[in-house]
Amino acid sequence: MRKIIRIELTIKTSRYLGRKQNEVNLGRDPRTTWNTSYRTLAINKVTAALRQMAGKRERCMYCEDSHGTQVDHFWPMVPYGNKTFLWENLIWVCSGCNQKKGNRFDLDEQGNPLLIDPTSEEPWDVLFYDPETGFITARYDLETGLENPKGAHTTKADVLPLNIDVVTDGRKRTQRNLRKAVHRFLDRIVQHNNLEKAQSELIEEIQDHDDYGLVQWYFLKDGRDNPPFRELRANYPEVWERVLESIR
Ligand SMILES: [Zn+2]
C-alpha cells in the first residue's frame, strides 16, 4: 500500500455527486442509484480522476499489484448509503480486492474503520515491510508491544489479498530492482566519477520501479536504514535529497 493523494473534482462533477447523494438521502436505493449512474459521463469523470490518482500504471489502491478496474465504496453502500456518492469514499481497486472486501467493514470501539484508507492516511505509519518474505504486517507499538490494530486488520488474509504469493513475489522483485539501482549508482560513481549523470540515472531507475509503495518505504520510512539505502543516505546526502524531491 502507499499513500494516495486525492485530487479535486471539477465543480460540475462535484455537483452531480451531491445531487445523486441527495436522491439517496431522500430514500432512493443506494445500489440502484449507483448502478444506473455508473455509465454516465459524470461518473466517467469520477473514475478518470481515480485512475489519475492511482498513478501511471493505474494500480489497485489496496494491493498495488493488479490493474485497478472498478470503484470500491470504502464505507460500503449497505448500510452506509449516506456515503454512496461521497468523493472521499471512492477508491480505485482491482476485482480481487473488491471481491474479498465485499460488504465486510469492521469498526473499532470508537466507531472508526479498522481498514486503512490509503487516500486519507499514510499506510506505512501502521504497517511494516519484511524484505525476507515480501509480506506487509502490522507495525508494533514500541511502548505497549502490541500490534497496531489497523495494520493487523488490514493485512488479515480474509480482509484483503495483500500477502498472497503473486503480490509478495512482486514486492520482492521491486525491492531487488530498487537495491540494484542504488548499487549501480554507487558503482558508477567509483568508475566514472560523474555525479550528475549517475544521479539522474538513479532517479530514472527508481521511478521505473515505483511499485507497491516500496519506494516510499526505502526512501522515506524504516527501509532507509537497510543497505544499500543507508550507504547512499550517509555518503551522498545531496543525492539522497534529490531522490526525495523526485518522489514527493
Ligand atoms: Zn487489489
Side-chain angles (χ1 to χ4, degrees):
M1 267 192 179
R2 75 165 79 200
K3 174 85 190 346
I4 306 277
I5 310 295
R6 192 172 285 278
I7 59 178
E8 270 188 54
L9 296 175
T10 62
I11 292 170
K12 202 174 160 195
T13 309
S14 300
R15 282 194 184 139
Y16 176 86
L17 291 181
R19 273 202 309 278
K20 287 286 155 186
Q21 187 59 57
N22 222 14
E23 290 177 19
V24 175
N25 295 349
L26 290 171
R28 270 196 75 186
D29 177 59
R31 206 179 287 276
T32 315
T33 316
W34 175 260
N35 288 344
T36 52
S37 314
Y38 200 68
R39 301 282 163 215
T40 61
L41 199 62
I43 296 292
N44 264 344
K45 297 231 166 88
V46 171
T47 54
L50 287 171
R51 293 205 314 271
Q52 189 187 332
M53 281 159 55
K56 58 177 188 271
R57 296 189 186 96
E58 300 185 0
R59 294 274 169 90
C60 166
M61 294 179 183
Y62 290 137
C63 67
E64 286 285 336
D65 183 73
S66 302
H67 190 66
T69 53
Q70 45 199 265
V71 176
D72 171 54
H73 289 80
F74 184 73
W75 292 76
M77 280 185 273
V78 180
Y80 306 104
N82 61 337
K83 296 184 195 296
T84 305
F85 288 90
L86 193 69
W87 169 228
E88 287 73 25
N89 194 41
L90 306 179
I91 312 266
W92 191 242
V93 300
C94 72
S95 58
C97 284
N98 211 11
Q99 219 166 36
K100 184 70 108 177
K101 179 171 173 267
N103 270 351
R104 179 174 179 174
F105 195 66
D106 297 6
L107 304 176
D108 65 14
E109 284 165 8
Q110 285 80 43
N112 298 313
L114 274 169
L115 189 69
I116 299 169
D117 173 1
T119 69
S120 73
E121 50 203 329
E122 168 56 73
W124 291 127
D125 285 348
V126 297
L127 294 175
F128 203 83
Y129 174 62
D130 179 359
E132 295 296 320
T133 59
F135 274 53
I136 50 174
T137 55
R139 188 177 278 278
Y140 277 91
D141 185 323
L142 288 179
E143 278 171 29
T144 62
L146 298 172
E147 278 186 323
N148 180 281
K150 265 196 168 192
H153 179 81
T154 303
T155 53
K156 269 189 201 155
D158 58 344
V159 173
L160 283 175
L162 301 185
N163 286 319
I164 56 175
D165 287 353
V166 285
V167 178
T168 56
D169 286 351
R171 281 195 202 105
K172 285 198 274 187
R173 194 168 50 243
T174 296
Q175 160 199 319
R176 276 197 301 275
N177 284 325
L178 289 172
R179 281 190 175 148
K180 274 186 205 157
V182 175
H183 279 302
R184 266 197 292 272
F185 168 84
L186 298 170
D187 291 345
R188 278 182 199 127
I189 291 292
V190 175
Q191 285 164 11
H192 310 294
N193 201 23
N194 185 341
L195 186 74
E196 201 60 40
K197 187 163 179 282
Q199 175 181 287
S200 62
E201 283 169 346
L202 172 66
I203 288 172
E204 205 171 287
E205 286 181 37
I206 289 168
Q207 284 167 349
D208 283 346
H209 300 293
D210 184 7
D211 295 317
Y212 302 98
L214 287 183
V215 165
Q216 290 71 23
W217 173 257
Y218 279 116
F219 289 92
L220 301 171
K221 298 286 174 179
D222 309 48
R224 61 191 200 157
D225 294 325
N226 290 18
F229 305 94
R230 191 178 53 202
E231 286 71 24
L232 179 68
R233 187 158 62 106
N235 300 334
Y236 300 95
E238 317 79 26
V239 175
W240 185 263
E241 278 308 313
R242 291 289 95 72
V243 173
L244 297 194
E245 281 165 22
S246 76
I247 62 174
R248 273 189 185 123

